Amino acid sequence: MKWNLRWVAARRDIWRPTQLQAAFQEVGFNPSLSKVAALWSNKPITVRLEDLDKICAALDCTVADLMEAEPQQHQAERDQPQQRAVGQQREGGPVRPVPRSGGTGRRGLPPN
């Protein structure tokens, strides 16, 4: 997901986290300045739905304005080769386990 908070805020002529905090306070949303700054400068990992609703009310926008799907990342993941389980068929026959290299080829005994 792409986080477009700065772009949406710029449409309302808001250019700093302190201005954004004032807009939030107008709708009864009172996060700390550090939380506002974190929302301003980083893509949040999580956002409470209540907070998202208040952000949209303060900026007169929709959730779709704030967040935008980035499908090209998902397409790249689908295009990568899939890992197969040991023994699963693929071109040229079954997949065989590869022995670990190094040492004598024997595993040591576990400590007592």
Side-chain angles (χ1 to χ4, degrees):
M1 291 300 251
K2 186 176 178 185
W3 182 240
N4 294 322
L5 178 68
R6 286 179 134 180
W7 181 79
V8 173
R11 290 190 329 196
R12 285 213 47 225
D13 202 29
I14 295 173
W15 302 101
R16 298 176 194 253
T18 53
Q19 294 173 311
L20 184 61
Q21 185 180 33
F24 287 165
Q25 290 172 347
E26 289 175 11
V27 296
F29 182 39
N30 298 305
S32 66
L33 184 56
S34 62
K35 182 175 179 176
V36 174
L39 289 170
W40 182 263
S41 59
N42 302 317
K43 178 170 71 171
I45 295 171
T46 60
V47 179
R48 293 177 52 206
L49 292 177
E50 269 181 47
D51 294 349
L52 193 58
D53 190 39
K54 292 174 184 175
I55 291 169
C56 289
L59 296 175
D60 191 29
C61 67
T62 66
V63 175
D65 295 329
L66 284 174
M67 294 187 286
E68 182 180 334
E70 294 180 307
Q72 66 272 12
Q73 289 179 347
H74 298 293
Q75 183 64 35
E77 290 172 4
R78 279 189 250 138
D79 292 343
Q80 291 178 353
Q82 298 289 324
Q83 292 183 358
R84 293 180 175 88
V86 174
Q88 188 176 5
Q89 294 291 328
R90 72 169 180 186
E91 294 177 30
V95 176
R96 306 252 183 235
V98 178
R100 294 181 186 169
S101 61
T104 61
R106 294 183 180 187
R107 284 197 239 177
L109 295 173
N112 288 335

